[in-house]
Amino acid sequence: DAGVTQSPTHLIKTRGQQVTLRCSPISGHKSVSWYQQVLGQGPQFIFQYYEKEERGRGNFPDRFSARQFPNYSSELNVNALLLGDSALYLCASSPYGTRQETQYFGPGTRLLVL
Amino acid sequence: DQQVKQNSPSLSVQEGRISILNCDYTNSMFDYFLWYKKYPAEGPTFLISISSIKDKNEDGRFTVFLNKSAKHLSLHIVPSQPGDSAVYFCAASRSSNTGKLIFGQGTTLQVKP
């Protein structure tokens, strides 16, 4: 079975631009979460979506937004990019995002903002 | 406010010996804990988890111990192998929302042949 997939793998943008990252969860998984990992730190929670509804939001500015589609895939959008947005963006999926489920991660999208 | 902490940035062990990675947390509402391994340029790979109703969980060479009173968990790898060299993250969540993981900063494990 295919794991979590993310696109693109790498991206270079300039300050002020907007970016859209995409994620396809494991088949049958309805919960998708997004994380940001900067160098030397652990991943930080950005959003969780379940059944197209936002279930949780981390401590990120409103420039960050996301949505989930009927097929459970998801997009993360970041507007007005700052240099500090340079990071690895990870997507994770799980069946429901509740109970004691394991989240499975994709390979990530490496974003560089110049 | 770092709710999950891994105080050792790095650990070096000899092949065949035990590796012990530690993690502390502050939020007593956490009831599900996971360990992930991460290689450069890859996403985290799930290793093992433990529920707060248990104090130990084993899977092959990997064992996780949970001490709720101390708010401490540890990952034991026995025997350690060179392929285990990676960054290890502990993560915690509440079972009401395991879609939100709180991660530690990571420990880089080097296993020397």
Side-chain angles (χ1 to χ4, degrees):
Chain A
D1 285 345
V4 177
T5 59
Q6 293 185 243
S7 63
T9 55
H10 294 82
L11 206 49
I12 300 175
K13 293 285 188 177
T14 56
R15 281 180 299 173
Q17 285 189 311
Q18 175 264 341
V19 68
T20 298
L21 311 180
R22 295 175 177 83
C23 171
S24 292
I26 291 171
S27 177
H29 286 192
K30 299 181 179 180
S31 172
V32 171
S33 297
W34 288 94
Y35 295 82
Q36 180 196 64
Q37 186 183 17
V38 298
L39 202 60
Q41 296 184 21
Q44 275 204 299
F45 173 76
I46 309 174
F47 284 110
Q48 186 204 0
Y49 274 77
Y50 174 73
E51 291 281 11
K52 298 181 290 180
E53 298 289 328
E54 180 183 302
R55 180 178 275 174
R57 170 188 279 259
N59 189 22
F60 281 81
D62 291 343
R63 299 184 297 107
F64 288 76
S65 63
R67 56 179 175 167
Q68 187 177 33
F69 299 98
N71 66 354
Y72 305 110
S73 66
S74 177
E75 286 183 351
L76 175 70
N77 295 284
V78 187
N79 293 323
L81 284 167
L82 303 174
L83 296 180
D85 295 331
S86 296
L88 179 67
Y89 288 85
L90 296 162
C91 173
S93 77
S94 62
Y96 299 100
T98 58
R99 308 166 199 167
Q100 293 183 339
E101 294 178 347
T102 298
Q103 284 193 60
Y104 294 93
F105 284 82
T109 294
R110 176 75 62 185
L111 172 65
L112 178 61
V113 182
L114 301 176
Chain B
D1 178 25
Q2 190 76 26
Q3 297 186 68
V4 178
K5 292 183 180 180
Q6 294 175 256
N7 291 317
S8 299
S10 63
L11 175 68
S12 181
V13 300
Q14 209 65 35
E15 180 179 6
R17 306 295 291 269
I18 184 171
S19 296
I20 300 176
L21 297 97
N22 294 302
C23 180
D24 297 296
Y25 62 97
T26 58
N27 190 338
S28 58
M29 299 300 290
F30 290 145
D31 58 6
Y32 190 54
F33 304 89
L34 308 92
W35 283 92
Y36 287 87
K37 177 170 74 171
K38 188 177 184 303
Y39 295 115
E42 294 184 12
T45 301
F46 170 71
L47 280 175
I48 192 169
S49 62
I50 188 166
S51 165
S52 59
I53 62 172
K54 296 183 177 181
D55 54 18
K56 176 182 175 182
N57 189 28
E58 287 182 82
D59 185 0
R61 297 185 298 114
F62 302 93
T63 303
V64 56
F65 295 91
L66 176 63
N67 182 334
K68 289 186 292 292
S69 61
K71 295 190 179 67
H72 177 83
L73 62 155
S74 61
L75 174 68
H76 292 209
I77 307 174
V78 184
S80 301
Q81 301 172 353
D84 296 330
S85 298
V87 180
Y88 288 77
F89 291 99
C90 69
S93 68
R94 299 172 62 172
S95 54
S96 58
N97 187 1
T98 47
K100 178 180 179 180
L101 291 176
I102 307 299
F103 282 85
Q105 310 95 305
T107 296
T108 300
L109 173 66
Q110 182 186 28
V111 181
K112 298 179 179 178

